[in-house]
Amino acid sequence: MALIPNSLIFLLLSTLLIIIPTHQRQHPLDSLTPAEFSKIRAIVHSSYPIPSHTTAFHYVGLEDPNKLTVLSWLKDPTTKTPPRQAFVIARINQTTHEITVDLTINKIVSDKLYDGYGYPLLTFEEQIAANALPLKYAPFLESIRKRGLKIEEVVCGGFTVGWYGEERRKKRIVRVMCYYLDGTVNAYMRPVEGVTVTVDLEETKIIGFKDRLTVPIPKGDGTDYRGSKQNPPFLAQLKGITMVQPDGPSFTIDGHRIRWANWDFHLSFDSRAGPIISLASIFDLQKQKFRQVLYKGFVSELFVPYMDLTEEWYYRTFFDAGEYGYGLCAVPLEPFRDCPENAVFMDAYFAGQNGMPVNMPDVFCIFEKYAGDITWRHTETLKPGEEIREVRPEVTLVVRMVSTVGNYDYINDWEFKQSGSIKVTVGLTGLLEVRGSVYTHNDQIKEEVYGTLLAENTVGAHHDHFLTYHLDLDVDGDANSLVKSNLQMTRVADQMSPRKSYWRVVSETAKTESDARIRLGVEQADLLVVNPNKRTDLGNSIGYRLIPGSLTHPVLSDDDYSQIRGAFTKYNVWVTPYNKSEKWAGGLYADQSRGDDTLARWSLRYSYGTGG
């Protein structure tokens, strides 16, 4: 999607600036630092000391400061910095605690027990421990032996289990499925189908095992994706392409603040959301000041429901952000491959299961992009004897992160344009999740296989990917409204023109949340976020237009358990009043959730008026 200003478009050419590696004082929206993670851990352990308590840190992130306080601080940075606090979700003695730690006074200021449905993010440590259990479990070893496989070539991965009408699960569990390497690193193409291991994450033990059926292991030939392992014929070799900035980049990085061309914004990292873009403002040449556009934007949830109904697959309805952590799954970016040679890289940190800071090197790259595109041009031919041509190249600034959630790699870009627009894109690459099958040819299939036969004994399962973004737009201030504009066919009256019809724009401001739930593609609407209190000199509304990219809608029934949990996918656009606690479209606790704390539920609680 792209956010396009609805007011007069203006350009400000890039100028040479210097990269500033450090900054003098902490910004209230900066990511938590390694020292702060260590301090948070010490403060929590002081209230729940080891070894009398078992404590696992599942999420540690910045507790959002009060929005009005942040905006006041921005207007006058000499004022006192807002209190620095952290929000912690920890499992203490197998009970979920929501803890707010004030880093200014070094103490816990809130500690609430959560006893609702759902559990917090899985940690890397518990997943690794769960994946290792089958490899030493006698019934599993027997299943591998009877299939004629070598146990040293088996690797395993855990899957969250969702919710399917159970009254309540009292255990945090995953189902572990395994794969066979033996000549390839592409484990996902060689599932050991039919064998399911259920693991209690907190006891770190197997509590269920089933070997339901035996199907052939898909062949490994041709599945290794590494370039060094490819056999001819090869694609034609391309000559090198380079991006050279002899005078250096045209942006500055001061801590987490980035300035480029006419843009000024803040970039931070969150273990659940990944990149968070905050306080994006654009410089108005005429007014000679920065004007607000976006207070905060980030990935709120990534819902991936599979459509395979077999026993080993039906529960695979993943919340990649809320269960696994979109930010936690970020991977180091490779210079010259993931990012061009003119990119600048930034590290990030998260809290491990023990609360200690973990470094994520090169998790972001920031670079100026020029791909030969045109931002604006015109050739004037009306002037006799002279042709006038004006062409302006499209140079943009990109902030990139790649998140590898299991078999898929998501390439998340925030692209800022000199024309004033923000383009948000997610590229999907990596590997398919496939199911082993007895079939070797389509002609053999006489039943529903819930996918496509891709190779011998290999079915690619049907599934969806729904990405939901949280966009808190503050266009020229935080008093914003959503305006829907439609093109209405109108008949010509009174023979005022030889024409019989024309279209006109009919606009409507959303008054309630139901007005602001929109299924794009079903109703043709031009969507604008406007500040009703601000006007251009000519009296037009000042706002930003939402321009969607590809559109999709869920096809599941509303009463399907997976769709109840993912009900926020029913509409492409939802507008709710600002509430800093309502960040995650799939709810704060997505693992084994029941859909009772989602965007779809929040939307029923409010009447929509003004507000960010």
Side-chain angles (χ1 to χ4, degrees):
M1 69 181 71
L3 302 175
I4 309 295
N6 192 41
S7 52
L8 179 66
I9 293 178
F10 51 85
L11 295 178
L12 177 64
L13 297 179
S14 300
T15 56
L16 174 63
L17 298 173
I18 301 172
I19 301 298
I20 305 171
T22 61
H23 60 306
Q24 296 299 315
R25 69 198 214 110
Q26 193 169 43
H27 191 288
L29 297 182
D30 280 355
S31 310
L32 294 172
T33 67
E36 287 175 325
F37 281 121
S38 297
K39 183 186 289 188
I40 292 162
R41 178 180 185 269
I43 292 170
V44 172
H45 280 313
S46 68
S47 293
Y48 299 97
I50 301 172
S52 56
H53 297 84
T54 58
T55 301
F57 293 82
H58 289 261
Y59 174 81
V60 182
L62 181 69
E63 171 71 9
D64 287 338
N66 179 277
K67 182 176 177 179
L68 292 178
T69 303
V70 173
L71 295 176
S72 296
W73 180 86
L74 283 175
K75 291 178 181 178
D76 183 8
T78 62
T79 60
K80 186 178 180 181
T81 303
R84 186 81 169 161
Q85 295 185 334
F87 180 64
V88 179
I89 299 178
R91 293 282 289 175
I92 301 175
N93 300 333
Q94 301 189 11
T95 301
T96 301
H97 287 246
E98 299 174 0
I99 300 171
T100 303
V101 176
D102 192 311
L103 295 165
T104 308
I105 58 177
N106 296 328
K107 65 182 293 187
I108 292 174
V109 294
S110 176
D111 187 350
K112 299 177 182 177
L113 292 179
Y114 175 75
D115 193 36
Y117 299 109
Y119 295 103
L121 286 171
L122 277 63
T123 69
F124 283 149
E125 293 87 343
E126 64 188 1
Q127 291 180 72
I128 292 169
N131 297 342
L133 291 177
L135 305 180
K136 297 180 180 180
Y137 186 63
F140 179 80
L141 297 177
E142 174 59 23
S143 292
I144 295 300
R145 186 199 62 76
K146 77 176 184 180
R147 286 169 169 79
L149 308 177
K150 297 175 282 190
I151 190 63
E152 63 271 17
E153 295 291 336
V154 175
V155 294
C156 302
F159 295 87
T160 52
V161 298
W163 169 69
Y164 294 92
E166 304 90 347
E167 279 299 314
R168 189 180 187 107
R169 284 200 183 100
K170 295 183 179 180
K171 293 182 180 293
R172 296 180 58 247
I173 63 172
V174 292
R175 292 199 173 111
V176 178
M177 313 298 292
C178 298
Y179 306 88
Y180 196 57
L181 298 174
D182 199 24
T184 182
V185 296
N186 191 348
Y188 290 104
M189 289 299 107
R190 308 199 74 195
V192 181
E193 202 64 55
V195 181
T196 305
V197 180
T198 303
V199 172
D200 182 323
L201 288 173
E202 287 172 319
E203 297 291 342
T204 317
K205 69 178 183 181
I206 293 173
I207 60 173
F209 175 79
K210 193 167 189 178
D211 187 346
R212 188 177 68 88
L213 79 167
T214 301
V215 298
I217 301 292
K219 295 176 182 178
D221 298 344
T223 63
D224 198 319
Y225 47 78
R226 292 174 293 181
S228 61
K229 300 296 182 180
Q230 302 306 302
N231 297 318
F234 300 108
L235 293 174
Q237 287 291 320
L238 300 178
K239 294 182 179 180
I241 296 177
T242 187
M243 176 66 183
V244 178
Q245 292 183 283
D247 298 323
S250 299
F251 58 89
T252 63
I253 302 177
D254 181 6
H256 291 266
R257 183 184 179 188
I258 299 173
R259 295 189 67 173
W260 172 80
N262 44 352
W263 282 104
D264 186 336
F265 62 92
H266 184 274
L267 170 65
S268 62
F269 174 84
D270 181 83
S271 61
R272 182 163 176 170
I276 297 179
I277 302 293
S278 302
L279 304 172
S281 298
I282 192 163
F283 191 76
D284 186 325
L285 282 172
Q286 293 178 333
K287 296 182 181 296
Q288 285 293 298
K289 70 175 185 177
F290 279 95
R291 299 172 67 182
Q292 294 171 261
V293 174
L294 176 74
Y295 182 75
K296 189 167 289 189
F298 54 87
V299 172
S300 180
E301 193 50 83
L302 209 173
F303 181 42
V304 188
Y306 281 78
M307 299 297 123
D308 194 319
L309 303 187
T310 56
E311 187 170 335
E312 292 78 25
W313 279 75
Y314 75 89
Y315 55 85
R316 301 190 192 194
T317 52
F318 305 124
F319 288 68
D320 283 352
E323 294 174 338
Y324 296 98
Y326 193 61
L328 280 178
C329 294
V331 294
L333 298 173
E334 293 191 23
F336 308 106
R337 293 179 180 270
D338 286 313
C339 309
E341 59 189 297
N342 63 320
V344 173
F345 294 80
M346 290 177 64
D347 291 0
Y349 292 85
F350 70 93
Q353 182 173 298
N354 63 0
M356 292 297 292
V358 179
N359 178 235
M360 305 179 78
D362 299 338
V363 75
F364 294 137
C365 70
I366 301 100
F367 59 92
E368 288 166 283
K369 184 174 85 171
Y370 174 60
D373 295 326
I374 299 168
T375 191
W376 187 90
R377 80 171 321 281
H378 179 62
T379 300
E380 184 57 70
T381 58
L382 288 179
K383 190 174 182 179
E386 186 177 359
E387 183 176 276
I388 301 170
R389 181 179 298 110
E390 177 75 13
V391 182
R392 300 173 192 175
E394 176 87 298
V395 179
T396 63
L397 183 74
V398 177
V399 175
R400 174 171 294 167
M401 188 193 84
V402 173
S403 182
T404 301
V405 189
N407 52 306
Y408 279 113
D409 292 53
Y410 298 94
I411 305 165
N412 193 174
D413 283 359
W414 287 81
E415 186 172 2
F416 295 83
K417 301 191 176 188
Q418 294 179 74
S419 59
S421 65
I422 305 171
K423 185 178 181 181
V424 186
T425 58
V426 177
L428 181 61
T429 179
L431 306 166
L432 285 173
E433 183 80 34
V434 303
R435 176 165 59 87
S437 171
V438 298
Y439 299 115
T440 58
H441 194 279
N442 263 319
D443 292 346
Q444 301 168 346
I445 302 175
K446 306 299 181 184
E447 61 178 335
E448 175 65 75
V449 294
Y450 312 110
T452 301
L453 190 68
L454 303 175
E456 291 184 2
N457 309 119
T458 307
V459 172
H462 295 152
H463 62 287
D464 301 297
H465 295 256
F466 296 96
L467 281 104
T468 301
Y469 277 83
H470 173 109
L471 299 176
D472 180 9
L473 287 165
D474 277 1
V475 179
D476 263 353
D478 61 355
N480 287 184
S481 297
L482 178 72
V483 175
K484 296 188 292 184
S485 297
N486 293 285
L487 303 183
Q488 185 181 86
M489 188 278 290
T490 304
R491 301 291 297 182
V492 176
D494 302 327
Q495 297 182 342
M496 60 179 294
S497 169
R499 296 275 296 271
K500 298 295 184 182
S501 66
Y502 67 105
W503 60 256
R504 62 191 181 97
V505 178
V506 178
S507 299
E508 176 188 7
T509 300
K511 303 297 184 187
T512 66
E513 292 224 30
S514 59
D515 292 339
R517 293 195 300 248
I518 298 166
R519 299 191 77 189
L520 297 170
V522 175
E523 53 177 303
Q524 296 183 356
D526 189 44
L527 304 178
L528 294 94
V529 176
V530 304
N531 189 326
N533 303 316
K534 302 288 182 68
R535 297 277 180 173
T536 67
D537 291 343
L538 296 178
N540 293 319
S541 297
I542 293 173
Y544 261 68
R545 178 174 284 113
L546 180 68
I547 300 181
S550 59
L551 302 176
T552 187
H553 306 102
V555 187
L556 298 175
S557 64
D558 289 345
D559 64 347
D560 186 287
Y561 293 112
S562 301
Q563 186 59 26
I564 290 171
R565 299 176 71 218
F568 54 88
T569 63
K570 186 172 183 178
Y571 298 95
N572 303 100
V573 178
W574 306 69
V575 181
T576 64
Y578 173 77
N579 184 331
K580 75 172 186 176
S581 68
E582 295 178 350
K583 298 169 63 173
W584 313 113
L588 183 58
Y589 299 98
D591 181 28
Q592 299 184 42
S593 65
R594 296 177 57 163
D596 55 358
D597 177 33
T598 69
L599 173 59
R601 289 295 185 94
W602 310 334
S603 183
L604 300 176
R605 297 204 298 256
Y606 300 114
S607 293
Y608 175 74
T610 58

